[in-house]
Amino acid sequence: MARNRVSFMLLLAAAAVVSRTQAAERAPVRLSQVTADEAREVLARHNEARRDVGVPPLTWSPSLANHAQEWADEIARTGLFEHRPRDEASVTVYGENLAVGFGPDYGAGTAVGQWRREEHDYVSGTPVPELPEDFAEFKAGHYTQMVWRETRSIGVGKAVIETGEMAGWTVFVANYDPAGNAGGQKPY
């Protein structure tokens, strides 16, 4: 019985290890480092933006938050502020917003505020660009992901960047399910 319990625990531990190319260099996945208060603030600010355009509210997803934490930890470890690669078979594709800032006043609310400010760059009723090169020039992609009608849940992770030019800065990663910003479609 004890041997089966140990085997089961080892199986659980193995399942927690991230399956990426650098898996050997990476630690097991940490739970989201976003506090309960930060999670409530993130959700409230998203749902306020969604209410303003008439789309249903989001719910908090602990599993998405843990998924987001995995990428926040990767950004912190490498110092590379970039989106999670979407070309790896082992990566489930969710919508993703990133934000980074420095100082004691930089928190979850500030990160969401950065995304929400893009509302001013979005012309209501227009579809998001279809071509990747056009989307790269789209100035409202974080905002449109926030208010994407079909998106139902969100989870957020955070970490302090350990190396590079942004060492000491805090990064926030938000993942959304289902993903928004489908080319040629309107967010709401």
Side-chain angles (χ1 to χ4, degrees):
M1 183 68 130
R3 184 176 178 166
N4 287 343
R5 185 173 294 145
V6 170
S7 294
F8 179 72
M9 295 302 284
L10 288 174
L11 179 61
L12 284 178
V17 176
V18 179
S19 62
R20 286 182 42 98
T21 306
Q22 303 131 341
E25 301 172 12
R26 306 213 22 214
V29 175
R30 290 193 308 161
L31 296 178
S32 176
Q33 299 299 295
V34 170
T35 67
D37 286 343
E38 289 172 321
R40 281 190 290 276
E41 183 173 15
V42 165
L43 198 55
R45 287 177 178 242
H46 274 76
N47 286 336
E48 178 183 312
R50 294 173 70 81
R51 189 172 37 256
D52 288 351
V53 297
V55 298
L58 298 176
T59 59
W60 184 262
S61 167
S63 64
L64 274 179
N66 294 340
H67 185 75
Q69 185 64 48
E70 174 187 316
W71 192 246
D73 288 342
E74 179 68 7
I75 292 171
R77 185 184 71 77
T78 64
L80 301 175
F81 183 68
E82 59 190 20
H83 284 282
R84 183 187 302 256
R86 298 196 185 269
D87 57 351
E88 297 180 27
S90 64
V91 176
T92 304
V93 178
Y94 297 116
E96 184 173 82
N97 279 350
L98 305 178
V100 66
F102 185 79
D105 294 331
Y106 188 78
T110 308
V112 176
Q114 288 174 295
W115 303 328
R116 176 80 191 260
R117 278 193 296 280
E118 293 179 5
E119 179 179 10
H120 300 291
D121 296 320
Y122 178 67
V123 177
S124 184
T126 59
V128 299
E130 288 188 57
L131 301 174
E133 57 271 17
D134 293 336
F135 191 82
E137 299 299 318
F138 186 56
K139 302 290 186 218
H142 298 101
Y143 168 72
T144 53
Q145 174 59 82
M146 285 179 69
V147 298
W148 199 262
R149 179 178 299 281
E150 286 77 25
T151 299
R152 295 291 178 252
S153 58
I154 183 175
V156 178
K158 73 174 182 180
V160 175
I161 298 175
E162 301 166 6
T163 187
E165 293 179 11
M166 291 187 286
W169 292 39
T170 301
V171 62
F172 285 90
V173 176
N175 283 140
Y176 301 84
D177 189 33
N181 287 335
Q185 295 184 23
K186 299 175 186 176
Y188 51 87

